[in-house]
Amino acid sequence: MRDAVVVEAVRTPIGRGRASGSLAPVHPVDLLAHSLSSVVERSGVDPALIDDVIAGCVTQAGEQSANIARWAGLAAGLPESVPATTIDRQCGSSQQAVHFAAQGVISGAYDMVLAAGVESMGRVPMGSAALPGDSRGIRLNERYPAGLVPQGISAELIGARRGISRAEMDEFALASHLRAAAAAQDGLFAPEIAPVKVTRPDGSVVEVAADEGIRPTSSLAALAGLRPAFYDEASAARFPEIGWSVTAGNASQISDGSAALLITTSERARELGLRPRARLHSFAVVGDDPFLMLRGVIPATRRVLERSGLRLDDIDLFEVNEAFAAVVLDWRAEIGAPAEKVNARGGAIALGHPLGASGARIMTTLVHALEQTGGRFGLQTMCEAGGLANATIIERL
């Protein structure tokens, strides 16, 4: 019976998604190409053996349009014979890339695949792909006549209905920064990061080797001083229960970055002298309420555990994407996972959330963290726009 294993996993550092960000001068094609070439170089595999490149990217417009996976593969020096495709499952795009790659390998359609993701949010702003017009159409609007809401309002509603206070959200955000800062200080991220040489507008070249968004000096007082990010009068009138607790400080950062994993079978790895590092054990993808769109992580977690035959206590590390503190706190209250096992090295609040790259970034971090801690099983899940969520369980080998 065929399986799917990760033999190498790397990511770029995560830069702030703004003009002054550390990775802002890097074209997104080159940003993705860097992760692709780095994972191939570290593995030592002949790139001609790669059957496909599957990359996630959310805002496929401008510099990220026209199948960025193909252009990045060529920019990375892969043979022209290696195909590539770009997929979009919103924030879970590159986690879905991992699923598709692993499922293709297990089925026998592939022997070796690069699963990756990229987003340069500073160069291609979120929402750039949406042209003027109604993106939902008559029939969808008829199904939800009261109207769907943006993600920020969804996060506010989740927090209000769960009874999560502003203080709890800010405490969670601070913990994310402190955990990420400690991991960076201890060198735990270094093995997974492929430093990027960046040519600045003045012609100088610098090497970016660390995540830019971590704020080790943050404080509860500083977080408490931030204004609500999504308040508007119409939503306040429609949802009087909202306490307006979501801020830029307890939500994910706008970021630039990429990540890539090399996936093959255990048998193929042995043939090529590669070391399998983690087995892709179980997969789930769910649809959930598109109104409270960010709660899909809860049924996704339950489904992947059921499919795996594992219990919650069997999981050594959990990674729940920190789109908003409210999402993870709601998930934790519902699922019952121990706080110390959830996002033990921080998450998107501290590290950043380059949309199409985050699934592969988190998976890369999870593979390395299991190796460094000696844990066996890791579970990763991500909320996605439209009421979607992916969940994956990996097993360290």
Side-chain angles (χ1 to χ4, degrees):
M1 184 175 177
R2 292 170 65 98
D3 64 358
V5 298
V6 176
V7 295
E8 192 56 80
V10 302
R11 67 176 179 93
T12 66
I14 306 301
R16 291 177 179 165
R18 58 183 69 167
S20 60
S22 61
L23 298 179
V26 184
H27 192 287
V29 168
D30 297 320
L31 193 60
L32 178 55
H34 183 70
S35 286
L36 296 177
S37 59
S38 295
V39 80
V40 171
E41 289 167 7
R42 290 190 183 192
S43 69
V45 73
D46 179 355
L49 298 176
I50 297 168
D51 293 307
D52 206 353
V53 178
I54 306 174
C57 182
V58 174
T59 307
Q60 296 181 34
E63 293 178 341
Q64 294 181 163
S65 63
N67 193 6
I68 189 173
R70 174 57 170 170
W71 306 128
L74 295 174
L78 300 181
E80 294 176 348
S81 59
V82 177
T85 189
T86 308
I87 63 170
D88 173 14
R89 201 191 285 277
Q90 297 294 279
C91 295
S93 295
S94 56
Q95 186 172 353
Q96 186 63 56
V98 171
H99 283 205
F100 283 156
Q103 290 157 358
V105 164
I106 291 168
S107 72
Y110 297 134
D111 287 320
M112 183 175 293
V113 188
L114 282 171
V118 66
E119 205 81 31
S120 183
M121 299 177 74
R123 297 176 69 109
V124 186
M126 183 168 53
S128 297
L131 295 173
D134 178 10
S135 63
R136 291 173 178 159
I138 294 171
R139 294 175 65 178
L140 181 62
N141 289 327
E142 287 176 346
R143 182 170 181 176
Y144 300 98
L148 301 175
V149 297
Q151 289 192 35
I153 301 301
S154 174
E156 288 281 11
L157 287 167
I158 288 169
R161 295 178 184 185
R162 175 63 70 178
I164 302 168
S165 68
R166 165 72 181 268
E168 288 175 296
M169 294 184 194
D170 288 347
E171 287 166 4
F172 181 89
L174 179 60
S176 181
H177 283 285
L178 295 179
R179 287 178 171 191
Q185 178 67 32
D186 293 342
L188 300 180
F189 292 135
E192 68 193 54
I193 291 177
V196 181
K197 289 186 177 179
V198 177
T199 302
R200 292 174 168 169
D202 63 4
S204 63
V205 178
V206 296
E207 184 176 81
V208 178
D211 299 310
E212 190 179 15
I214 303 172
R215 295 189 290 272
T217 60
S218 185
S219 67
L220 290 177
L223 289 167
L226 297 174
R227 287 190 244 176
F230 299 100
Y231 175 83
D232 72 85
E233 290 186 8
S235 295
R238 182 180 175 187
F239 306 112
E241 69 269 35
I242 289 179
W244 302 105
S245 299
V246 178
T247 71
N250 57 43
S252 56
Q253 298 184 40
I254 292 172
S255 310
D256 304 335
S258 73
L261 301 97
L262 184 60
I263 296 171
T264 186
T265 66
S266 293
E267 181 180 6
R268 190 68 167 141
R270 283 193 299 270
E271 291 172 358
L272 297 172
L274 304 172
R275 178 174 70 90
R277 301 174 65 175
R279 176 176 291 110
L280 290 148
H281 187 284
S282 301
F283 316 92
V285 61
V286 304
D288 198 50
D289 178 5
F291 179 74
L292 289 178
M293 69 179 82
L294 306 174
R295 300 196 78 219
V297 289
I298 295 170
T301 298
R302 288 176 173 150
R303 181 172 294 182
V304 79
L305 284 170
E306 181 182 356
R307 286 182 172 174
S308 70
L310 299 172
R311 297 171 298 122
L312 194 70
D313 291 346
D314 294 320
I315 307 301
D316 297 291
L317 293 173
F318 297 87
E319 287 285 341
V320 184
N321 189 42
E322 293 175 0
F324 301 91
V327 171
V328 188
L329 291 169
D330 179 52
W331 174 92
R332 210 169 69 191
E334 192 80 16
I335 297 298
E340 66 274 12
K341 290 186 176 183
V342 181
N343 300 357
R345 298 183 177 184
I349 289 173
L351 296 169
H353 182 17
L355 304 175
S358 285
R361 194 286 298 170
I362 292 172
M363 182 68 69
T364 294
T365 298
L366 187 55
V367 168
H368 286 266
L370 287 172
E371 290 180 339
Q372 291 165 346
T373 61
R376 182 178 178 185
F377 292 108
L379 187 155
Q380 169 183 333
T381 188
M382 301 184 71
C383 59
E384 300 150 11
L388 304 170
N390 282 68
T392 318
I393 292 176
I394 64 172
E395 179 183 12
R396 181 181 63 85
L397 298 174

